Amino acid sequence: MPTLILLRHGQSQWNLEDKFTGWVDVDLTAQGEAEAKKGGELIKAAGIAIDRCYTSVLTRAIRTSWLALHAAGQAYVPEVKDWRLNERHYGGLTGLNKTETAAKHGAEQVKVWRRSYDTPPPPMEAGSEYDFSKDRRYAGATLPDTESLKTTLDRVQPYWEAEIAPQLAAGQTLLVAAHGNSLRAIVKLLFNVTNDAIVGVEIPTSNPLLIELDAGLRPTAARYLDESRATALPSV
């Protein structure tokens, strides 16, 4: 039966520095590398054979996939990269320190920008140092200047339906190594989580979420491989 593993990348340099990262291409820290390897070891210990891996075009997710697959003894697995699996775009918050931003705008406003379903941060100004329009990874694409979880889902869902779901429907076991919000978008789709409830769903870093699916790609079982770091999951 179809099987999906969701793996959120480990600590990045800007996670460590408490900055809004979004689409900025920062790398993993040494801790993040160790976390990714641990995720792969958990996959290996569970005896899971992966057929294909999907990831974003951001280094922290790509290297998480590489390190995890290597640790799982499956570095040879084909991998597909696509920007639609990127983290949400944090707009004008990109690069700002989270604590300093909360002090400036108020903790409640920042909480709304970070955690609400459909309220995006202020847009990024054209020509910003973090303007991605000239990055060749996004050539030909219409890019956002900010995103909420809702608009992140709006670009994840078509990719899911066109590229990932057909592989699952063929009975494959897939690893998706990506980001907190792009993975939350997938969880919302699969488990039919309400707009209000998805705000409270948190996916721990580098703890593989194993989801077993039926022929209609409806979840029949779901669990984190590291039960000591598990968070609450939507019911199946």
Side-chain angles (χ1 to χ4, degrees), residues 14-150:
W14 276 20
N15 291 147
L16 180 63
E17 296 174 15
D18 198 31
K19 292 182 179 181
F20 288 100
T21 311
W23 286 24
V24 179
D25 197 16
V26 298
D27 205 348
L28 297 172
T29 62
Q31 177 181 321
E33 293 173 348
E35 290 171 344
K37 292 173 185 176
K38 176 64 175 177
E41 290 166 359
L42 290 165
I43 291 170
K44 183 176 182 179
I48 302 167
I50 298 166
D51 295 305
R52 186 183 299 262
C53 175
Y54 291 87
T55 187
S56 73
V57 295
L58 299 174
T59 298
R60 58 193 186 274
I62 295 168
R63 293 194 64 233
T64 291
S65 73
W66 291 351
L67 291 164
L69 286 170
H70 183 266
Q74 301 181 61
Y76 52 83
V77 167
E79 182 171 271
V80 181
K81 305 177 183 72
D82 198 281
W83 69 269
R84 287 168 290 184
L85 293 175
N86 277 13
E87 178 58 287
R88 68 179 282 203
H89 191 309
Y90 273 104
L93 300 183
T94 301
L96 300 181
N97 179 275
K98 294 175 183 178
T99 303
E100 292 173 0
T101 304
K104 179 179 179 180
H105 295 282
E108 284 306 310
Q109 178 61 69
V110 173
K111 183 178 179 181
V112 168
W113 285 333
R114 293 187 66 188
R115 300 301 301 181
S116 71
Y117 176 63
D118 56 5
T119 303
M124 179 182 288
E125 294 183 6
S128 160
E129 65 176 306
Y130 302 117
D131 186 340
F132 307 106
S133 61
K134 293 181 174 58
D135 190 320
R136 68 176 185 160
R137 280 172 284 196
Y138 309 112
T142 300
L143 302 184
D145 54 15
T146 186
E147 288 182 310
S148 62
L149 178 57
K150 179 183 184 300

Side-chain angles (χ1 to χ4, degrees), residues 115-117 149 184 187-188 191-202 232-235:
R115 300 301 301 181
S116 71
Y117 176 63
L149 178 57
R184 287 170 68 219
V187 166
K188 189 179 192 305
F191 293 89
N192 197 27
V193 183
T194 66
N195 296 351
D196 289 339
I198 194 62
V199 173
V201 173
E202 185 68 24
L233 285 169
S235 58

Side-chain angles (χ1 to χ4, degrees), residues 194-215:
T194 66
N195 296 351
D196 289 339
I198 194 62
V199 173
V201 173
E202 185 68 24
I203 299 175
T205 58
S206 297
N207 188 356
L209 173 55
L210 178 66
I211 305 171
E212 297 173 8
L213 306 161
D214 65 17

Side-chain angles (χ1 to χ4, degrees), residues 140-198:
T142 300
L143 302 184
D145 54 15
T146 186
E147 288 182 310
S148 62
L149 178 57
K150 179 183 184 300
T151 49
T152 302
L153 174 61
D154 288 344
R155 48 112 163 147
V156 170
Q157 185 169 0
Y159 184 71
W160 168 269
E161 293 174 348
E163 302 294 337
I164 300 177
Q167 301 296 330
L168 288 169
Q172 291 202 351
T173 296
L174 304 181
L175 171 66
V176 177
H179 309 264
N181 284 293
S182 52
L183 295 181
R184 287 170 68 219
I186 292 173
V187 166
K188 189 179 192 305
L189 277 176
L190 281 179
F191 293 89
N192 197 27
V193 183
T194 66
N195 296 351
D196 289 339
I198 194 62

